[in-house]
Amino acid sequence: MASSKKAVLGPLVGAVDQGTSSTRFLVFNSKTAELLSHHQVEIKQEFPREGWVEQDPKEILQSVYECIEKTCEKLGQLNIDISNIKAIGVSNQRETTVVWDKLTGEPLYNAVAAPVSPGPSDPAAVVPSGSSVPAAGTCSVWLDLRTQSTVESLSKRIPGNNNFVKSKTGLPLSTYFSAVKLRWLLDNVRKVQKAVEEDRALFGTIDSWLIWSLTGGASGGVHCTDVTNASRTMLFNIHSLEWDKELCEFFEIPMKILPNVRSSSEIYGLMKAGALEGVPISGCLGDQSAALVGQMCFQDGQAKNTYGTGCFLLCNTGRKCVFSEHGLLTTVAYKLGRDKPVYYALEGSVAIAGAVIRWLRDNLGIIKSSEEIEKLAKEVGTSYGCYFVPAFSGLYAPYWEPSARGIICGLTQFTNKCHIAFAALEAVCFQTREILDAMNRDCGIPLSHLQVDGGMTNNKILMQLQADILYIPVVKPSMPETTALGAAMAAGAAEGVGVWSLEPEDLSAVTMERFEPQINAEESEIRYSTWKKAVMKSMGWVTTQSSESGDPSIFCSLPLGFFIVSSVVMLIGARYLSGMP
């Protein structure tokens, strides 16, 4: 029967997109970059203590298998032959740390996450010393803040005039990156310590854990990572592209547990189980690098901004490392082949983007769904002089000011929830402008346009505001899955696979939606300068740790307590002497 014939679409490429809140598997046509099918599974996060964020590595792995199986079933229903899938790429949440037993394949602890945004001085809560350790079997997620005390003790060992950590890695010493999470696990989890002593432990970020498990696990799995993920561990020298002995000694990390570092596009191994058994895994990129590739930002000075819980803005700086003087990170963008050159990027992060919309919904209740904010903002079309600085836990790049707290200012009797909603969207755009200004100063080449992706880009008001505030065009691809697309491109282009050409003339033309500035430059600058005034007002709210976390009693300050008590005594005495009842 004709209906039973499988559709012939040419070579297909799959991509695992493993994020903080979900796992997805997507399949693309390598000749057209068309998305054919996908499946998504939500991932649980565990919060054993305030500031601690963990995930179960086995749940993550199982979600990958489930997504692959379900996607293959959907392709079958579309009469698409899964034997056409020639390669698989992996894109992953970066910095999240896993340690497992290479003999049993069992994780030795939960995956420990990194904090929302990195920086020289994380505006983060300090986890009390002596905290109890949860049961083993999970991993350290990128959002996790437990390592603040580890960072503080390590920072005292770095000479003020010789920050060798930053010069070798491009990164500040921060709770965000994998090295300090791994150091915490080695210091606090006996199962990890024992496995290291007995030469059973393997360390990796989520990509390493997945590739090792998918290629055989304890029965010959490949223990590797790629340069983009390695560059986020704080153990990797981004100049020599090797694990750095001095850095490993500084963090006291045994080099024998580290994965082999490979390029972002080569065959690492073959799938050993499931519907796609025998298919090579041949692409690997950290999520933000994958989005950069998926947006086809292959030229110096091209940049993309991903709008999610936070914003991640990456600018391709070519084959040269550009070290920021304005609070940005230097990172590896990609290396698309063993014999291909490495490309670098500057990265700036906005901690609170989509999170501010959730705050309006969950904390203030002025919207019932995230989508509703666009409708409210559209009703007024202006903030009417209201400015919202969402510095809920301090200011990140480019300020790195932990004393700041969120403020809404410029309020009048006329201000209503629609103006506040508009101001919240503007806040995302103003923060992006600050990162972009820092990048322009570091690179010396102003951007001509900004390429965007992520869930928030569906908000047309936000995209138009971004164009107005940056005063450059904002360009959004019609196919939003740029992170997964980047991983698929790397996998399909790998030597030995060769089904996806990355030559400029062969890259598929992507339909774009373009937002042009609709206000004049003077108005854009006035609004931006007023925002910066509001940012200054947000600073200095937290003067000491005790002001937020200490004893709430007024008598925790002896001079203040004495003053209040003596004042009350004097008042009673005065009333008595005057004969008042």
Side-chain angles (χ1 to χ4, degrees), residues 4-182:
S4 65
K5 289 183 178 178
K6 297 290 186 181
V8 179
L9 295 171
L12 310 180
V13 179
V16 174
D17 182 4
Q18 206 300 301
T20 312
S21 58
S22 69
T23 297
R24 298 184 304 157
F25 185 69
L26 307 91
V27 174
F28 297 89
N29 184 324
S30 66
K31 300 305 179 188
T32 64
E34 177 190 1
L35 174 61
L36 299 177
S37 187
H38 76 282
H39 188 76
Q40 176 171 324
V41 172
E42 299 299 314
I43 297 293
K44 286 185 292 188
Q45 292 185 20
E46 300 178 22
F47 306 94
R49 293 185 67 91
E50 183 179 356
W52 293 29
V53 187
E54 299 179 354
Q55 292 178 317
D56 183 350
K58 293 176 75 174
E59 180 192 357
I60 291 173
L61 177 60
Q62 184 55 43
S63 72
V64 171
Y65 278 120
E66 182 179 343
C67 286
I68 290 174
E69 297 299 317
K70 295 291 186 183
T71 303
C72 288
E73 288 176 15
K74 292 177 182 179
L75 289 172
Q77 292 164 8
L78 295 170
N79 281 335
I80 296 172
D81 192 344
I82 63 171
S83 68
N84 285 326
I85 298 175
K86 304 302 182 186
I88 296 170
V90 175
S91 167
N92 58 286
Q93 52 171 309
R94 302 172 300 171
E95 298 94 16
T96 296
T97 300
V98 191
V99 180
W100 66 94
D101 188 318
K102 67 182 180 183
L103 301 181
T104 66
E106 290 293 312
L108 297 168
Y109 192 77
N110 273 345
V112 182
V116 166
S117 185
S121 56
D122 282 302
V126 176
V127 178
S129 60
S131 300
S132 60
V133 177
T138 50
C139 64
S140 262
V141 188
W142 67 279
L143 300 161
D144 195 272
L145 299 173
R146 78 188 68 186
T147 54
Q148 184 65 30
S149 58
T150 306
V151 167
E152 288 167 0
S153 62
L154 286 168
S155 65
K156 294 172 185 174
R157 293 167 46 199
I158 297 178
N161 61 349
N162 179 26
N163 191 342
F164 65 93
V165 174
K166 186 169 184 181
S167 64
K168 290 187 174 194
T169 67
L171 309 173
L173 187 60
S174 165
T175 60
Y176 193 81
F177 306 107
S178 308
V180 290
K181 300 178 197 312
L182 182 52

Side-chain angles (χ1 to χ4, degrees), residues 81-351:
D81 192 344
I82 63 171
S83 68
N84 285 326
I85 298 175
K86 304 302 182 186
I88 296 170
V90 175
S91 167
N92 58 286
Q93 52 171 309
R94 302 172 300 171
E95 298 94 16
T96 296
T97 300
V98 191
V99 180
W100 66 94
D101 188 318
K102 67 182 180 183
L103 301 181
T104 66
E106 290 293 312
L108 297 168
Y109 192 77
N110 273 345
V112 182
V116 166
S117 185
S121 56
D122 282 302
V126 176
V127 178
S129 60
S131 300
S132 60
V133 177
T138 50
C139 64
S140 262
V141 188
W142 67 279
L143 300 161
D144 195 272
L145 299 173
R146 78 188 68 186
T147 54
Q148 184 65 30
S149 58
T150 306
V151 167
E152 288 167 0
S153 62
L154 286 168
S155 65
K156 294 172 185 174
R157 293 167 46 199
I158 297 178
N161 61 349
N162 179 26
N163 191 342
F164 65 93
V165 174
K166 186 169 184 181
S167 64
K168 290 187 174 194
T169 67
L171 309 173
L173 187 60
S174 165
T175 60
Y176 193 81
F177 306 107
S178 308
V180 290
K181 300 178 197 312
L182 182 52
R183 182 67 260 151
W184 186 91
L185 290 170
L186 290 166
D187 288 339
N188 292 277
V189 181
R190 180 57 191 148
K191 286 182 75 171
V192 173
Q193 297 165 356
K194 194 167 186 291
V196 170
E197 291 165 5
E198 296 174 359
D199 199 24
R200 292 184 288 109
L202 295 179
F203 153 78
T205 42
I206 292 294
D207 58 304
S208 297
W209 162 246
L210 292 179
I211 292 172
W212 184 83
S213 300
L214 296 172
T215 57
S219 302
V222 178
H223 187 215
C224 69
T225 188
D226 90 301
V227 289
T228 69
N229 281 294
S231 76
R232 310 294 291 190
T233 61
M234 230 162 30
L235 300 170
F236 185 71
N237 188 314
I238 61 174
H239 309 286
S240 66
L241 303 183
E242 296 173 328
W243 298 120
D244 190 281
K245 190 170 184 291
E246 184 184 13
L247 290 170
C248 290
E249 288 174 353
F250 174 73
F251 289 103
E252 298 178 81
I253 303 297
M255 296 183 76
K256 65 183 179 181
I257 71 173
L258 303 179
N260 293 319
V261 182
R262 312 276 283 271
S263 76
S264 308
S265 178
E266 61 178 276
I267 295 176
Y268 312 114
L270 306 180
M271 288 282 292
K272 285 300 191 320
L276 298 181
E277 184 177 352
V279 176
I281 299 174
S282 53
C284 180
L285 291 153
D287 52 7
Q288 301 309 319
S289 288
L292 195 72
V293 171
Q295 286 272 26
M296 301 178 203
C297 294
F298 295 129
Q299 304 299 317
D300 292 21
Q302 283 188 299
K304 69 88 197 172
N305 195 25
T306 299
Y307 296 77
T309 301
C311 286
F312 292 89
L313 205 162
L314 265 70
C315 179
N316 188 332
T317 61
R319 300 185 193 184
K320 61 182 181 298
C321 277
V322 175
F323 283 87
S324 176
E325 299 295 326
H326 303 94
L328 306 181
L329 308 180
T330 303
T331 195
V332 174
Y334 52 81
K335 186 178 187 293
L336 296 173
R338 278 180 292 190
D339 301 323
K340 301 288 185 180
V342 64
Y343 282 75
Y344 297 93
L346 277 175
E347 177 174 333
S349 306
V350 171

Side-chain angles (χ1 to χ4, degrees), residues 451-503:
Q451 294 171 231
V452 299
D453 56 74
M456 289 187 77
T457 60
N458 293 323
N459 187 321
K460 292 185 183 296
I461 297 281
L462 176 69
M463 293 295 96
Q464 186 56 57
L465 278 172
Q466 190 67 87
D468 290 343
I469 289 166
L470 296 179
Y471 208 68
I472 58 174
V474 167
V475 180
K476 174 193 169 188
S478 57
M479 203 288 290
E481 305 294 351
T482 54
T483 301
L485 178 61
M489 290 167 66
E495 184 181 351
V497 178
V499 299
W500 204 312
S501 173
L502 298 183
E503 296 301 320

